[in-house]
Amino acid sequence: MANQNDRHAENVPGRWYVDAICIICGMCGEYAPETFRASADGTQNIVFRQPVTPQELEAAKEAMEGCPVDSIGNDGIWKFEEPVKCVNEVGYAGMDGRMLEHR
């Protein structure tokens, strides 16, 4: 499990990050090139852009699940596998809190 207290300094601010145990296997950049790439010194991968779209979030999730050393973290953004129905039934909120659908 990724350690949020050991995030690489080059990660952009946000929920998703890569910690210091990354072995730069390159898998995350293959799954989610819009989110992950090598650090400036080439010693490990970093999050250079936070995923935003549902497709980017899914790709980042797949990269996190496939990471051989579990160095990708997301501060619990994937706590729920399904959108959460709003109490007032106005709409459905996605994993990142953005409105997915308005009813």
Side-chain angles (χ1 to χ4, degrees):
M1 176 176 223
N3 182 347
Q4 64 182 348
N5 296 322
D6 202 14
R7 297 174 184 230
H8 190 281
E10 289 183 47
N11 287 303
V12 296
R15 292 180 184 249
W16 290 85
Y17 61 92
V18 178
D19 72 10
I21 65 168
C22 174
I23 59 172
I24 199 162
C25 69
M27 184 276 309
C28 60
E30 290 180 27
Y31 277 89
E34 62 284 329
T35 300
F36 302 98
R37 70 175 171 204
S39 60
D41 64 5
T43 60
Q44 73 174 84
N45 288 302
I46 60 165
V47 172
F48 75 95
R49 184 179 160 278
Q50 292 290 322
V52 178
T53 68
Q55 295 82 7
E56 291 171 351
L57 287 166
E58 184 62 32
K61 178 186 176 193
E62 288 177 13
M64 181 178 71
E65 290 172 347
C67 179
V69 293
D70 292 327
S71 68
I72 299 172
N74 68 357
D75 291 345
I77 193 171
W78 288 98
K79 183 176 180 184
F80 304 106
E81 291 298 322
E82 297 294 325
V84 179
K85 186 175 180 181
C86 295
V87 174
N88 62 8
E89 297 197 15
V90 171
Y92 290 82
M95 294 355 141
D96 61 357
R98 291 181 300 139
M99 189 63 68
L100 294 177
E101 172 181 3
H102 187 33
R103 296 260 176 182

